[in-house]
Amino acid sequence: MAEENQSDSRTRRSSGTQLDRREQLPWTLDGLKILSIDGGGIRGILPAAVLTLCEQRFTGGRPAGEYFDYIAGTSTGGIIALGLASGMPASAILKLYMDHGAAIFPPPAQLDWLISKSVRKAWRFVRGLLHYRYDREELARQLAAVFQDRVIGDADRRLVIPSFDEFNEVTLFKTPHHQAYKLDWSLGMVAVALSTSAAPTFFSTYKNGDRQFADGGVWANNPIMTALVDAMACYAIDRHQIDILSLGCVESEFAFTKGQIAKGGVWHWREIISAAMRLQSQNALGQAGLLVGRDRLLRVDGAPMKSNPIDLDDYTRSAAELPAIAASLVKQHEERLAALFAAPRPPYKAVYGPRSQDA
């Protein structure tokens, strides 16, 4: 009870929410460009591979992140976003996924392959009812090697990274690109990456500061609207001057089963979280398209897999299949991608932290 009371006494992040309209800063650049990257576990290989090919074909090897004013990313997309905003080329991020993905998501024990995939998935579901599936030690180690002691305030691109905390409140970790954003600039990038990627059932919640966080994909797996709303709230920019590149991680097709229709229950609806993530993405894309126009929003994602989809933790299939899908997608959208990567954007001016004018 003492622990519960102590938790209740902590200040909620929402307690400092600004009630009046945020002051809009002038926007002096030609247009505004947003990069949004979905969550998707090890399937983050797909957006990392797409951006790597864009670096090879359109930027002359210059890091892809330099071509955007905002980068939003959820879960695996948040990790990629943090890397890009730190100046890492997408090729280095892709190499991280390809070289260490199998250690972060170790395959099932050899004996598991003696039983059918459906039985194996059912057993993993039952086992997952009681305990998370993976230890995050390897993921944390790789992130520490990449980001070291960098903080959010070190990023030179505006960041919006979704998560949610133990008070059941949504959280958006943001760079200090507006005077209202005082909370996050000193947070370590490793902590933010682990907070946004603490996927329920896969990893335990992550303690960041005085509270626990879980994966932002629960409420904003496609974070496109989090960045678009932030840009329109913070800056005096015509919404029709905003261009968006939205990268997916190959969504799974979802259709009602006979069991769901006739019986219901937790077992028959056990995959509903995947459906919820896809529906959230559709809604967010629709809203963003209505605001900026679909001609200014490019969605790049593989076709939904109707049968035998790649699991979020299936490194073997992701590494084998997704780079080829990325190559096909870049070829398909080559003209529009070339336009998005035509000219780099300047780093933003930080209000607080190590990159601020007062630092």
Side-chain angles (χ1 to χ4, degrees):
M1 182 64 69
E3 181 179 348
E4 187 174 311
N5 290 337
Q6 180 183 1
S7 176
D8 291 342
S9 68
R10 286 173 293 170
T11 302
R12 292 175 178 245
R13 186 177 173 101
S14 61
S15 65
T17 299
Q18 182 177 332
L19 300 181
D20 56 341
R21 184 177 178 181
R22 186 169 299 146
E23 177 187 354
Q24 288 184 306
L25 304 175
W27 187 261
T28 58
L29 300 176
D30 180 20
L32 185 151
K33 290 187 178 180
I34 295 172
L35 171 62
S36 173
I37 310 171
D38 287 13
I42 195 58
R43 297 194 313 233
I45 286 173
L46 180 65
V50 167
L51 292 171
T52 296
L53 290 170
C54 289
E55 289 176 347
Q56 294 172 357
R57 298 189 184 188
F58 311 127
T59 76
R62 191 164 183 167
E66 294 183 6
Y67 290 78
F68 297 91
D69 302 295
Y70 268 85
I71 306 178
T74 298
S75 195
T76 195
I79 294 173
I80 297 172
L82 286 160
L84 293 172
S86 300
M88 289 179 64
S91 57
I93 300 172
L94 176 61
K95 187 176 188 302
L96 175 70
Y97 277 64
M98 298 296 283
D99 289 351
H100 301 286
I104 295 170
F105 295 109
Q110 190 65 32
L111 186 63
D112 285 0
W113 296 105
L114 298 178
I115 57 179
S116 69
K117 182 176 180 181
S118 60
V119 172
R120 188 166 64 250
K121 288 186 70 173
W123 165 242
R124 293 175 79 188
F125 171 77
V126 172
R127 185 175 59 186
L129 292 175
L130 301 175
H131 202 266
Y132 56 86
R133 193 175 298 175
Y134 299 105
D135 189 313
R136 69 158 52 83
E137 182 179 352
E138 181 64 23
L139 175 60
R141 180 165 44 247
Q142 295 304 325
L143 291 175
V146 170
F147 296 122
Q148 300 180 10
D149 59 354
R150 293 192 190 101
V151 297
I152 288 289
D154 288 318
D156 62 10
R157 306 290 138 181
R158 298 166 186 82
L159 282 169
V160 183
I161 309 291
S163 184
F164 76 97
D165 68 19
E166 63 188 278
F167 292 113
N168 203 29
E169 289 192 337
V170 300
T171 295
L172 289 171
F173 297 111
K174 299 179 182 180
T175 43
H177 51 270
H178 191 278
Q179 58 264 30
Y181 299 158
K182 304 176 182 180
L183 295 179
D184 301 334
W185 70 263
S186 62
L187 295 177
M189 288 191 176
V190 173
V192 172
L194 292 174
S195 296
T196 189
S197 62
T201 75
F202 287 94
F203 297 109
S204 63
T205 58
Y206 180 75
K207 187 174 183 181
N208 185 350
D210 66 349
R211 66 199 64 201
Q212 301 283 339
F213 287 88
D215 198 304
V218 171
W219 68 276
N221 198 60
N222 180 338
I224 184 171
M225 281 300 294
T226 66
L228 178 56
V229 168
D230 190 87
M232 294 174 61
C234 289
Y235 298 101
I237 175 75
D238 185 335
R239 59 192 170 98
H240 300 106
Q241 299 301 310
I242 299 175
D243 291 289
I244 306 174
L245 172 59
S246 173
L247 301 180
C249 296
V250 187
E251 296 172 339
S252 300
E253 188 79 313
F254 180 86
F256 289 170
T257 65
K258 293 180 180 179
Q260 288 164 349
I261 295 172
K263 300 178 180 179
V266 173
W267 176 256
H268 292 291
W269 286 94
R270 63 190 180 279
E271 301 293 340
I272 189 61
I273 185 64
S274 296
M277 290 162 65
R278 183 164 186 236
L279 293 169
Q280 180 274 328
S281 179
Q282 291 178 21
N283 181 57
L285 287 167
Q287 291 175 328
L290 287 171
L291 287 172
V292 305
R294 287 306 297 243
D295 59 326
R296 303 196 78 102
L297 191 169
L298 175 60
R299 174 67 170 176
V300 177
D301 192 11
M305 295 185 171
K306 297 183 178 180
S307 61
N308 195 27
I310 301 175
D311 291 333
L312 297 174
D313 57 346
D314 191 338
Y315 168 78
T316 301
R317 284 191 62 196
S318 294
E321 300 176 29
L322 296 182
I325 294 176
S328 175
L329 290 170
V330 172
K331 182 177 181 180
Q332 176 185 348
H333 300 290
E334 185 171 8
E335 184 175 345
R336 294 188 67 183
L337 286 171
L340 284 167
F341 287 95
R345 311 292 289 181
Y348 82 95
K349 294 181 179 180
V351 181
Y352 311 105
R355 294 187 57 256
S356 68
Q357 295 177 351
D358 297 332

mmCIF file of all heavy atoms in Angstrom, residues 1 40 75 87 95 99 107 130 150 160 196 207 264 277 281 300 303 354:
data_model
loop_
_atom_site.group_PDB
_atom_site.id
_atom_site.type_symbol
_atom_site.label_atom_id
_atom_site.label_comp_id
_atom_site.label_asym_id
_atom_site.label_seq_id
_atom_site.Cartn_x
_atom_site.Cartn_y
_atom_site.Cartn_z
ATOM 1 N N MET A 1 0.828 -1.207 0.000
ATOM 2 C CA MET A 1 0.000 0.000 0.000
ATOM 3 C C MET A 1 0.857 1.249 0.000
ATOM 4 O O MET A 1 0.554 2.227 -0.658
ATOM 5 C CB MET A 1 -0.936 -0.012 1.209
ATOM 6 C CG MET A 1 -1.871 1.204 1.261
ATOM 7 S SD MET A 1 -3.020 1.232 -0.138
ATOM 8 C CE MET A 1 -4.044 -0.155 0.272
ATOM 9 N N GLY A 40 7.339 -1.848 -35.533
ATOM 10 C CA GLY A 40 7.205 -3.143 -36.195
ATOM 11 C C GLY A 40 8.260 -4.156 -35.803
ATOM 12 O O GLY A 40 8.526 -5.094 -36.552
ATOM 13 N N SER A 75 8.521 2.912 -31.391
ATOM 14 C CA SER A 75 9.126 1.614 -31.140
ATOM 15 C C SER A 75 10.376 1.432 -31.998
ATOM 16 O O SER A 75 11.307 2.228 -31.895
ATOM 17 C CB SER A 75 8.086 0.506 -31.394
ATOM 18 O OG SER A 75 8.508 -0.719 -30.858
ATOM 19 N N GLY A 87 22.467 12.044 -36.748
ATOM 20 C CA GLY A 87 23.406 12.141 -37.856
ATOM 21 C C GLY A 87 23.868 10.813 -38.412
ATOM 22 O O GLY A 87 24.713 10.775 -39.320
ATOM 23 N N LYS A 95 22.664 -1.838 -40.794
ATOM 24 C CA LYS A 95 23.713 -2.789 -40.414
ATOM 25 C C LYS A 95 23.532 -3.250 -38.969
ATOM 26 O O LYS A 95 23.740 -4.432 -38.649
ATOM 27 C CB LYS A 95 25.093 -2.157 -40.593
ATOM 28 C CG LYS A 95 26.261 -3.124 -40.394
ATOM 29 C CD LYS A 95 27.582 -2.448 -40.686
ATOM 30 C CE LYS A 95 28.732 -3.460 -40.679
ATOM 31 N NZ LYS A 95 28.860 -4.194 -39.409
ATOM 32 N N ASP A 99 23.095 -7.105 -38.272
ATOM 33 C CA ASP A 99 24.177 -7.768 -37.531
ATOM 34 C C ASP A 99 23.747 -8.272 -36.160
ATOM 35 O O ASP A 99 24.283 -9.268 -35.668
ATOM 36 C CB ASP A 99 25.367 -6.810 -37.354
ATOM 37 C CG ASP A 99 26.101 -6.544 -38.655
ATOM 38 O OD1 ASP A 99 25.802 -7.219 -39.659
ATOM 39 O OD2 ASP A 99 26.980 -5.658 -38.668
ATOM 40 N N PRO A 107 16.109 -16.832 -31.915
ATOM 41 C CA PRO A 107 15.099 -17.768 -32.437
ATOM 42 C C PRO A 107 14.705 -18.794 -31.389
ATOM 43 O O PRO A 107 15.407 -18.987 -30.387
ATOM 44 C CB PRO A 107 15.822 -18.425 -33.620
ATOM 45 C CG PRO A 107 17.279 -18.307 -33.278
ATOM 46 C CD PRO A 107 17.413 -17.001 -32.549
ATOM 47 N N LEU A 130 1.965 -15.150 -19.042
ATOM 48 C CA LEU A 130 2.542 -15.088 -17.709
ATOM 49 C C LEU A 130 3.862 -14.346 -17.636
ATOM 50 O O LEU A 130 4.272 -13.936 -16.549
ATOM 51 C CB LEU A 130 2.746 -16.513 -17.168
ATOM 52 C CG LEU A 130 1.485 -17.376 -17.067
ATOM 53 C CD1 LEU A 130 1.857 -18.787 -16.641
ATOM 54 C CD2 LEU A 130 0.499 -16.765 -16.090
ATOM 55 N N ARG A 150 24.586 10.443 -25.394
ATOM 56 C CA ARG A 150 23.836 11.514 -26.049
ATOM 57 C C ARG A 150 22.452 11.657 -25.417
ATOM 58 O O ARG A 150 21.819 10.685 -25.027
ATOM 59 C CB ARG A 150 23.667 11.236 -27.548
ATOM 60 C CG ARG A 150 24.947 11.273 -28.362
ATOM 61 C CD ARG A 150 24.591 11.283 -29.834
ATOM 62 N NE ARG A 150 25.758 11.091 -30.679
ATOM 63 C CZ ARG A 150 26.092 9.946 -31.260
ATOM 64 N NH1 ARG A 150 25.326 8.883 -31.095
ATOM 65 N NH2 ARG A 150 27.169 9.856 -32.012
ATOM 66 N N VAL A 160 9.779 13.537 -32.460
ATOM 67 C CA VAL A 160 8.549 13.224 -31.734
ATOM 68 C C VAL A 160 8.513 11.708 -31.589
ATOM 69 O O VAL A 160 8.383 10.983 -32.580
ATOM 70 C CB VAL A 160 7.296 13.731 -32.475
ATOM 71 C CG1 VAL A 160 6.050 13.445 -31.641
ATOM 72 C CG2 VAL A 160 7.390 15.222 -32.776
ATOM 73 N N THR A 196 10.219 3.745 -25.741
ATOM 74 C CA THR A 196 9.272 3.643 -26.853
ATOM 75 C C THR A 196 9.184 2.228 -27.401
ATOM 76 O O THR A 196 8.203 1.873 -28.052
ATOM 77 C CB THR A 196 9.641 4.609 -27.996
ATOM 78 O OG1 THR A 196 8.585 4.631 -28.969
ATOM 79 C CG2 THR A 196 10.926 4.204 -28.696
ATOM 80 N N LYS A 207 11.967 1.459 -16.871
ATOM 81 C CA LYS A 207 11.952 2.568 -15.929
ATOM 82 C C LYS A 207 12.822 3.696 -16.449
ATOM 83 O O LYS A 207 14.035 3.570 -16.585
ATOM 84 C CB LYS A 207 12.442 2.137 -14.547
ATOM 85 C CG LYS A 207 12.263 3.239 -13.512
ATOM 86 C CD LYS A 207 12.599 2.781 -12.103
ATOM 87 C CE LYS A 207 12.331 3.911 -11.102
ATOM 88 N NZ LYS A 207 12.665 3.511 -9.721
ATOM 89 N N GLY A 264 -16.324 -15.593 -30.074
ATOM 90 C CA GLY A 264 -15.682 -14.509 -29.339
ATOM 91 C C GLY A 264 -14.705 -15.060 -28.310
ATOM 92 O O GLY A 264 -14.225 -16.187 -28.418
ATOM 93 N N MET A 277 -3.372 -1.979 -34.375
ATOM 94 C CA MET A 277 -2.239 -1.210 -34.886
ATOM 95 C C MET A 277 -2.462 -0.831 -36.348
ATOM 96 O O MET A 277 -2.175 0.296 -36.767
ATOM 97 C CB MET A 277 -0.952 -2.014 -34.727
ATOM 98 C CG MET A 277 -0.522 -2.165 -33.271
ATOM 99 S SD MET A 277 0.659 -3.506 -32.992
ATOM 100 C CE MET A 277 2.078 -2.914 -33.908
ATOM 101 N N SER A 281 -3.123 2.959 -37.912
ATOM 102 C CA SER A 281 -2.322 3.478 -39.018
ATOM 103 C C SER A 281 -3.204 4.015 -40.137
ATOM 104 O O SER A 281 -2.969 5.101 -40.678
ATOM 105 C CB SER A 281 -1.400 2.375 -39.553
ATOM 106 O OG SER A 281 -0.617 2.846 -40.637
ATOM 107 N N VAL A 300 5.062 4.557 -47.967
ATOM 108 C CA VAL A 300 5.890 3.501 -48.537
ATOM 109 C C VAL A 300 5.857 2.315 -47.581
ATOM 110 O O VAL A 300 6.400 2.375 -46.483
ATOM 111 C CB VAL A 300 7.342 3.979 -48.762
ATOM 112 C CG1 VAL A 300 8.202 2.831 -49.299
ATOM 113 C CG2 VAL A 300 7.368 5.159 -49.729
ATOM 114 N N ALA A 303 2.970 -4.605 -49.236
ATOM 115 C CA ALA A 303 1.563 -5.003 -49.235
ATOM 116 C C ALA A 303 1.268 -5.845 -47.999
ATOM 117 O O ALA A 303 2.107 -6.662 -47.592
ATOM 118 C CB ALA A 303 1.250 -5.794 -50.499
ATOM 119 N N PRO A 354 22.072 21.365 -24.928
ATOM 120 C CA PRO A 354 23.435 21.568 -25.427
ATOM 121 C C PRO A 354 23.510 22.297 -26.761
ATOM 122 O O PRO A 354 24.554 22.891 -27.076
ATOM 123 C CB PRO A 354 23.954 20.124 -25.553
ATOM 124 C CG PRO A 354 22.738 19.274 -25.620
ATOM 125 C CD PRO A 354 21.718 19.950 -24.783
#
